[in-house]
Amino acid sequence: SDSESGSEDSSLSDSELQEAFSRGDLKPGLNVVLEERPKRRNDTNGLKQCLSEFKQQLAWVERLDVTLGQAVDPIPQSASSKDGVDPENDFQREMSFYRQAQAAVLEALPRLRKLQVPTRRPDDYFAEMAKSDQQMQKIRQKLKSKQEAMERSEKAKQLRAMRKYGKKVQTEILQKRQKEKKNMLNAVKKYQKGLSDKLDFLDEEQTSSQGNKKGSASQQIKKGPNAKRRYKNQKFGFGGKKKGSKWNTKESFNDVSSFRPNVAHNKGPGKAGKRGKKALNKRPGKRARQKMKNRAR
């Protein structure tokens, strides 16, 4: 028991422990050391002494310290808030900070204006950025890399869509060719068996094979013939019936709306004079010119 009590309370000597044990003050298992917490105290004098030691006697412009209470709230407060600010109420606590800062500003601004200290930022004020140019350059490069990655992904998406569409068109063309081939083989089998005597599938095959070769010619026909072709078509016809194309029909024979008797019988005004001038200036024929040459010889 002496060893246990000595280990528990090392500040006491062995003789004192023996005397306490003989009196019955010490009992095994009942000795617990209680550490008392230091009592808190508000040492106002010590704080004032420390303040006087590091306080500097400078003008108020250099210190700009303002110690005031809260500004008066124009809205009447409730009875509970008048007694004090509840630290557990976030809104009341923040409003107390705001009111105290407001009171300090209302007190400091007139004093600064009285001392002719500017309180507004000038128009040409230049403030250095919080982040350095190197950091901003890194941010620009990161944003640029993100934008390039988005553009690449968008371009790849468009290429995939185009490939998908091209593959779809290609499969449709292959299916169409297989269908045409199957139909032609069925037509050939029918012809071989004597079920059909038509050879139209051969014409279709030739037109389909020559479609790419004569693509430009078909485009020209679609555009229309040129002036030379139109003149020849008008002069020589289109390969149809030419004999009897100028014969009258019953309708054209009865239609006399385009008949002009003065023009038909040369009875119009000035016709004789014009024909006379033309007759005077008309060149003689070849046979007449030959006779004239023979007479001159």
Side-chain angles (χ1 to χ4, degrees):
S1 64
D2 294 342
S3 61
E4 290 177 358
S5 62
S7 62
E8 291 176 356
D9 191 359
S10 60
S11 62
L12 300 176
S13 62
D14 294 339
S15 59
E16 292 176 350
L17 290 172
Q18 289 176 2
E19 292 177 358
F21 181 73
S22 62
R23 288 194 307 269
D25 295 337
L26 295 179
K27 293 181 181 180
L30 297 178
N31 298 325
V32 178
V33 178
L34 299 176
E35 297 181 357
E36 295 182 359
R37 295 182 180 179
K39 294 181 179 180
R40 299 178 181 179
R41 59 176 182 170
N42 189 8
D43 191 1
T44 309
N45 296 327
L47 291 173
K48 289 182 179 180
Q49 184 180 357
C50 292
L51 179 62
S52 62
E53 288 177 0
F54 64 80
K55 186 177 181 180
Q56 297 179 357
Q57 299 296 331
L58 298 175
W60 180 81
V61 181
E62 300 294 336
R63 293 182 285 109
L64 295 177
D65 54 343
V66 179
T67 305
L68 291 172
Q70 298 183 15
V72 179
D73 192 357
I75 301 174
Q77 299 178 354
S78 61
S80 60
S81 61
K82 286 182 180 178
D83 299 339
V85 178
D86 184 9
E88 300 298 331
N89 192 339
D90 296 340
F91 181 74
Q92 288 186 5
R93 188 173 64 252
E94 294 297 329
M95 283 303 297
S96 65
F97 295 155
Y98 172 75
R99 293 294 177 192
Q100 190 172 4
Q102 187 179 13
V105 169
L106 294 174
E107 176 68 21
L109 276 178
R111 296 174 68 177
L112 290 172
R113 290 171 184 170
K114 188 176 180 180
L115 296 172
Q116 297 181 357
V117 177
T119 57
R120 290 183 178 274
R121 181 181 297 176
D123 296 336
D124 57 348
Y125 179 77
F126 176 76
E128 187 177 356
M129 294 183 65
K131 294 184 179 180
S132 61
D133 294 341
Q134 296 178 356
Q135 182 69 16
M136 295 303 296
Q137 192 67 21
K138 289 181 181 178
I139 293 172
R140 290 192 193 95
Q141 290 178 359
K142 191 172 182 180
L143 292 174
K144 187 178 180 181
S145 62
K146 283 185 178 180
Q147 187 176 3
E148 290 177 354
M150 290 175 64
E151 290 177 357
R152 285 197 298 269
S153 64
E154 190 67 23
K155 190 174 181 180
K157 190 184 294 184
Q158 292 178 0
L159 287 174
R160 285 195 296 270
M162 291 174 65
R163 288 175 184 171
K164 189 176 180 180
Y165 179 74
K167 190 174 181 180
K168 182 180 179 182
V169 172
Q170 187 177 6
T171 52
E172 289 179 356
I173 292 172
L174 291 175
Q175 290 176 0
K176 185 178 179 181
R177 288 179 181 175
Q178 290 176 359
K179 187 177 180 180
E180 291 177 355
K181 185 177 180 181
K182 186 177 180 181
N183 295 335
M184 188 186 71
L185 291 175
N186 291 334
V188 170
K189 288 180 180 179
K190 288 181 180 179
Y191 180 78
Q192 289 177 350
K193 292 178 181 180
L195 299 176
S196 175
D197 56 348
K198 296 181 181 180
L199 297 175
D200 297 338
F201 58 89
L202 296 177
D203 298 336
E204 293 178 0
E205 183 183 1
Q206 290 178 1
T207 53
S208 61
S209 62
Q210 294 178 359
N212 296 329
K213 295 181 181 178
K214 295 183 179 181
S216 59
S218 62
Q219 290 177 359
Q220 291 180 0
I221 293 171
K222 287 180 181 178
K223 290 180 180 178
N226 52 12
K228 186 176 180 181
R229 183 71 264 171
R230 288 198 300 270
Y231 172 75
K232 288 190 175 182
N233 289 341
Q234 185 179 2
K235 184 177 180 181
F236 301 105
F238 295 88
K241 182 180 178 182
K242 297 180 181 61
K243 186 177 181 181
S245 60
K246 294 184 180 181
W247 289 356
N248 284 333
T249 60
K250 183 179 181 180
E251 290 79 8
S252 64
F253 179 77
N254 293 328
D255 186 13
V256 293
S257 60
S258 61
F259 178 71
R260 298 291 184 270
N262 295 333
V263 178
H265 301 292
N266 293 326
K267 293 181 179 180
K271 290 288 183 179
K274 288 182 180 180
R275 290 183 63 84
K277 289 181 181 179
K278 287 182 180 180
L280 293 173
N281 297 329
K282 188 178 180 181
R283 183 184 178 190
K286 184 176 180 180
R287 188 171 295 178
R289 293 199 305 271
Q290 191 68 31
K291 289 180 178 181
M292 291 170 64
K293 287 181 180 178
N294 294 332
R295 291 175 185 174
R297 291 177 184 174

